[in-house]
Amino acid sequence: MREIILISFLGPDQPNQFTRLMQVLSVHSLQILDVGQAVIHNQLTLGIVVSSHEKTATALAMKDMLILAHDIGLTVRFKPISSAEYDQWVSEGGRTRYIVTALAPELTAAHLEAVTHIVSSQGFNIETVTRLSGRPDRNLAPTEPKRACVQFGLSGQMLDAHAMRAACLRLSAESSIDVAVQEDNAYRRNRRLVCFDMDSTLIEQEVIDELALEAGVGEEVAEITERAMLGELDFQQSFRARMALLKGLDAEVLPRIAARLTITEGAERLISTLKSLGYKTAILSGGFQYFAEYLQSKLGIDEVHANILDVVDGQVTGEVKGAIVDGARKAELLRGLAEKMGISLEQTIAVGDGANDLPMLSIAGLGVAFRAKPLVRQNANQAISSVGLDGVLYLLGVHDKDLNRA
């Protein structure tokens, strides 16, 4: 009868430990069924599940393991695993798995307690815990943006996806932490296209409000903009109303406005990282092509689609050329870009803040509401508000330590 043993090691991490442990198992011809290791602050935790049909071989291996562990300063424990336990472990390998990502400027024990309480209430088992953010620097300047991220790998079957999403949103609102829940499938690890809204996403301003300030109609346009982003007004209707107020604006102000646009915290780091990893990027904006192309040049965006201001004799006419880029058009453009690249929608990511972004957020494999209005946060797949735009990288499973080596 086959014996199955879990061998657990704990102690200081040292070079060649793993190799020497494998040598013992190799000498006694033990089969390795599973292995996992973690090192935190130079402290090693290692687990190996081994199997053998020869009781003598197992006993000799355990004896040699005890001697070696003592020699290299590790504590070792042996736990027999029954056939029933092993069969249960094998059957769980086919379950749907999930990734939960917790991110905030700083993650506290209270944050992680709250997140794991939500996880356990859904019947999940936490299999892995991984810190994606870099090691905290105690000498970090006060002006430097802070970000912390811990990723949980879960196994099990979700009991109520709606309830879990609602619990994550409540926690985010109460504790300034973002919690993302994703199915851990092949698509999550193979996304290729990222599409961004521009205004209040890649940049901090709403460009149409900036134009309105130059035209002397700032308050009127800002009020309409806010209601449109909240979803209280039809985008096309509100857009035409705002454009009409800009009639007669001197087009010479456009470069001046572009020069004062503020790029959102983390946007440059996010775009440069995505490019280095081979992602394609696009701006799909209800704003204006002139400013989208300005950002394209500044950030290295691959493609832009936005509204084209109609200018006659150096003045804005209050109209745009061609179809208005509204929510439906953004979703259509996202579909078209995915088709052109030969990828599925599951391999796309969309990021935006307003109600007119919801159509593209809803069809993308990963839709992220960034510092968004309540309506958008509630209806998007995921939401980020506590950190900068580069927080999106954590949802892709990117480690800070990997970026530091690039």
Side-chain angles (χ1 to χ4, degrees), residues 222-242:
E223 181 182 353
I224 299 172
T225 299
E226 180 67 13
R227 293 182 65 192
M229 292 298 100
L230 289 170
E232 296 176 0
L233 296 175
D234 172 76
F235 181 83
Q236 288 230 11
Q237 181 184 20
S238 67
F239 184 77
R240 293 187 188 279
R242 287 175 288 170

Side-chain angles (χ1 to χ4, degrees), residues 39-92:
V39 177
I40 300 178
H41 203 67
N42 297 322
Q43 288 295 301
L44 169 80
T45 302
L46 170 63
I48 309 172
V49 178
V50 299
S51 171
S52 175
H53 290 283
E54 299 290 336
K55 288 188 176 182
T56 302
T58 304
L60 290 172
M62 292 170 65
K63 175 187 173 184
D64 288 349
M65 279 292 184
L66 282 169
I67 295 171
L68 175 59
H70 180 269
D71 183 41
I72 60 180
L74 295 179
T75 299
V76 60
R77 290 185 177 181
F78 303 97
K79 179 183 180 295
I81 298 175
S82 69
S83 296
E85 288 175 315
Y86 179 75
D87 291 342
Q88 176 68 22
W89 174 73
V90 171
S91 67
E92 290 176 352

Side-chain angles (χ1 to χ4, degrees), residues 116-189:
T116 54
H117 177 74
I118 293 172
V119 166
S120 61
S121 70
Q122 285 295 318
F124 286 118
N125 179 56
I126 299 174
E127 292 197 346
T128 62
V129 181
T130 308
R131 177 173 52 83
L132 299 184
S133 51
R135 295 175 178 177
D137 184 353
R138 294 187 300 138
N139 300 314
L140 192 68
T143 55
E144 286 291 317
K146 291 183 178 180
R147 53 184 177 268
C149 179
V150 171
Q151 176 181 281
F152 299 90
L154 313 180
S155 64
Q157 194 65 41
M158 187 179 298
L159 301 177
D160 187 337
H162 178 76
M164 187 165 188
R165 175 63 177 150
C168 290
L169 284 172
R170 284 196 302 272
L171 178 60
S172 296
E174 295 166 359
S175 303
S176 298
I177 176 178
D178 296 314
V179 184
V181 183
Q182 301 178 68
E183 187 175 325
D184 188 19
N185 55 31
Y187 292 119
R188 190 190 77 85
R189 298 183 292 273

Side-chain angles (χ1 to χ4, degrees), residues 237-256:
Q237 181 184 20
S238 67
F239 184 77
R240 293 187 188 279
R242 287 175 288 170
M243 284 301 303
L245 292 170
L246 299 179
K247 185 176 180 179
L249 176 66
D250 193 330
E252 289 186 357
V253 304
L254 301 185
R256 188 162 69 241

Side-chain angles (χ1 to χ4, degrees), residues 163-388:
M164 187 165 188
R165 175 63 177 150
C168 290
L169 284 172
R170 284 196 302 272
L171 178 60
S172 296
E174 295 166 359
S175 303
S176 298
I177 176 178
D178 296 314
V179 184
V181 183
Q182 301 178 68
E183 187 175 325
D184 188 19
N185 55 31
Y187 292 119
R188 190 190 77 85
R189 298 183 292 273
N190 191 34
R191 295 198 166 112
R192 309 310 312 149
L193 170 67
V194 190
C195 295
F196 298 93
D197 175 45
M198 178 174 67
D199 298 35
S200 298
T201 300
L202 282 176
I203 57 174
E204 293 185 1
Q205 297 91 339
E206 291 285 334
V207 170
I208 198 165
D209 292 348
E210 298 299 310
L211 291 168
L213 288 174
E214 296 288 347
V217 290
E219 290 186 8
E220 298 98 308
V221 168
E223 181 182 353
I224 299 172
T225 299
E226 180 67 13
R227 293 182 65 192
M229 292 298 100
L230 289 170
E232 296 176 0
L233 296 175
D234 172 76
F235 181 83
Q236 288 230 11
Q237 181 184 20
S238 67
F239 184 77
R240 293 187 188 279
R242 287 175 288 170
M243 284 301 303
L245 292 170
L246 299 179
K247 185 176 180 179
L249 176 66
D250 193 330
E252 289 186 357
V253 304
L254 301 185
R256 188 162 69 241
I257 292 174
R260 70 176 186 241
L261 295 178
T262 306
I263 294 175
T264 300
E265 174 197 340
E268 291 174 295
R269 181 173 182 263
L270 171 60
I271 299 299
S272 64
T273 301
L274 291 173
K275 287 179 63 178
S276 70
L277 296 175
Y279 287 81
K280 294 294 182 183
T281 55
I283 293 175
L284 308 181
S285 174
F288 303 103
Q289 187 78 8
Y290 179 90
F291 302 99
E293 290 178 352
Y294 171 84
L295 278 180
Q296 179 182 29
S297 175
K298 195 172 184 66
L299 296 176
I301 302 287
D302 293 305
E303 196 163 336
V304 300
H305 296 272
N307 296 300
I308 301 174
L309 276 171
D310 186 42
V311 177
V312 176
D313 297 329
Q315 292 187 330
V316 173
T317 67
E319 302 285 344
V320 295
K321 296 179 180 178
I324 292 174
V325 179
D326 59 4
R329 178 61 178 155
K330 288 186 179 186
E332 181 184 335
L333 287 165
L334 175 59
R335 289 183 187 276
L337 289 173
E339 185 176 343
K340 185 170 70 172
M341 289 180 62
I343 62 175
S344 72
L345 285 172
E346 284 288 343
Q347 293 175 272
T348 68
I349 300 168
V351 186
D353 74 297
N356 66 318
D357 296 311
L358 280 172
M360 72 171 181
L361 297 185
S362 66
I363 67 170
L366 176 62
V368 182
F370 178 71
R371 296 181 181 175
K373 313 301 185 289
L375 173 70
V376 184
R377 286 178 56 84
Q378 291 166 13
N379 288 278
N381 303 131
Q382 314 296 345
I384 292 178
S385 297
S386 67
V387 297

Side-chain angles (χ1 to χ4, degrees), residues 19-30 60-65 68:
T19 301
R20 294 178 69 182
L21 294 171
M22 290 303 104
Q23 285 174 343
V24 172
L25 299 181
S26 176
V27 166
H28 298 287
S29 301
L30 268 62
L60 290 172
M62 292 170 65
K63 175 187 173 184
D64 288 349
M65 279 292 184
L68 175 59

